[in-house]
Amino acid sequence: MYDYDLLVVGSANADLVISVERRPAAGETVLGSDLAVHPGGKGGNQAVAAARLGARTALLARVGDDAYGRLLLDSQRAAGVDTVGVLVGGAPTGVALITVDPSGDNSIVVSPGANGRLTPADVRAAGSLFHASRVVSTQLEIPLETVVEVVRNLAPQGRFVLNPSPPRPLPQEVLAACDPLIVNEHEAQVILGGQVSERPEDWARILLAKGPRSVVVTLGAEGALVADADGVVRVPAVPVAALDTTGAGDAFTAALAWRLGAGATLAEAAGYAARVGAVAVTRRGAQESFPTAQEVDAL
Ligand code: ADP
């Protein structure tokens, strides 16, 4: 019996957003809008997305002993995430400083802060969470050696899901544990080291040959591809009027991981995740845009 459907190990950031008429050049000062603070980070986003769907979700992350850390803990708890695994202190909370111009183009500086201090020892100390969780999901906004330690601490029947974002080459040990590895086009190109053909079906096959038990390639408004030993299957997107795609990949990954743990096939889980991603892109923001299961069913 598992206590959690999903354990997310990953980053939590405060996104500090200012709208500007023009993004500043070197040495320049521009005046902008009032500051908006949004809870973010790929780990925090995935945990909120899963919990809002009704998954019993825990987050293993690190935030600073500061106001942003408390804000992030509050927003996780409000969504229903169990924050017993969120460690506090060691560095300031991770932040993303974001300026957005009227065309929607942005400039972003990320200070990983406490996310960079989530260590392999923190993972080892959280062994009971790993044993209590059906599926474990991570991203790459925490140190790679911490992700390696996650793979080494999986429970015997535990399933591992990785969205390698921001992308970098992955050790074989991590690739071999992925079931699935979930990538968008950009991430696929980095993992494949540039040896990319025109057809996403080929990326999926070549990625699969690198060792993961299964692969999912997300294609935005084109939907997704799932690949495993049975072959490659295309999962259509749900047609919607997209307003803001921020966080769509995180919502997709969380939904997919949850459904896989509930016994769905990879294609079924990706079909459900595509519906979750479709709702998320019709609303502004990241965590604010993630739907409940009822909202997904109503789509
Ligand atoms: P990322 O944000 O990681 O780049 P994608 O943009 O590929 O990820 O989005 C993840 C998933 O969300 C897609 O596979 C698709 O199912 C859904 N999605 C994204 N954009 C749209 C869209 N414009 N219309 C419908 N579904 C979308």
Side-chain angles (χ1 to χ4, degrees):
M1 182 57 202
Y2 294 96
D3 295 332
Y4 302 106
D5 300 310
L6 181 65
L7 168 63
V8 179
V9 185
S11 59
N13 283 331
D15 293 343
L16 312 185
V17 185
I18 302 179
S19 302
V20 290
E21 278 304 311
R22 208 163 41 74
R23 286 173 294 140
E28 192 183 10
T29 300
V30 299
L31 297 181
S33 68
D34 287 350
L35 175 70
V37 182
H38 301 284
K42 289 182 172 293
N45 286 354
Q46 285 190 5
V48 166
R52 199 158 290 154
L53 290 168
R56 295 168 304 160
T57 307
L59 176 64
L60 173 56
R62 185 177 283 280
V63 298
D65 184 7
D66 50 33
Y68 292 136
R70 285 184 281 282
L71 177 112
L72 295 178
L73 278 166
D74 286 347
S75 70
Q76 290 291 321
R77 287 179 188 136
V81 176
D82 189 331
T83 58
V84 66
V86 180
L87 305 162
V88 178
T93 298
V95 295
L97 304 178
I98 305 170
T99 50
V100 190
D101 72 18
S103 72
D105 283 337
N106 53 33
S107 296
I108 305 179
V109 179
V110 172
S111 168
N115 297 305
R117 270 52 159 223
L118 188 70
T119 63
D122 294 333
V123 169
R124 287 192 291 276
S128 59
L129 278 179
F130 284 86
H131 281 273
S133 303
R134 211 178 269 280
V135 181
V136 178
S137 167
T138 74
Q139 329 75 37
L140 297 184
E141 290 182 337
I142 55 174
L144 188 55
E145 62 261 31
T146 304
V147 174
V148 171
E149 195 64 25
V150 167
V151 167
R152 293 179 183 165
N153 282 266
L154 294 172
Q157 304 298 324
R159 188 162 184 160
F160 177 65
V161 174
L162 174 66
N163 172 220
S165 175
R168 67 188 108 151
L170 293 170
Q172 192 56 41
E173 182 180 7
V174 171
L175 277 171
C178 294
D179 192 13
L181 175 75
I182 304 179
V183 291
N184 65 17
E185 176 175 356
H186 170 60
E187 291 149 8
Q189 292 190 358
V190 174
I191 304 292
L192 291 173
Q195 36 159 310
V196 176
S197 79
E198 291 287 302
R199 298 175 62 242
E201 281 82 359
D202 293 338
W203 313 341
R205 283 195 198 92
I206 300 169
L207 283 167
L208 194 63
K210 286 188 169 277
R213 294 178 207 181
S214 56
V215 170
V216 175
V217 180
T218 65
L219 300 167
E222 303 294 309
L225 289 173
V226 303
D228 61 14
D230 295 335
V232 182
V233 175
R234 190 173 269 271
V235 176
V238 181
V240 291
L243 187 65
D244 177 359
T245 60
T246 314
D250 300 331
F252 180 97
T253 297
L256 181 103
W258 173 49
R259 294 321 300 159
L260 286 175
T265 65
L266 189 59
E268 288 165 354
Y272 185 82
R275 293 158 63 91
V276 173
V279 179
V281 301
T282 63
R283 304 173 182 172
R284 284 201 193 286
Q287 293 181 13
E288 305 91 305
S289 75
F290 298 159
T292 63
Q294 289 76 17
E295 289 166 336
V296 177
D297 292 344
L299 184 69

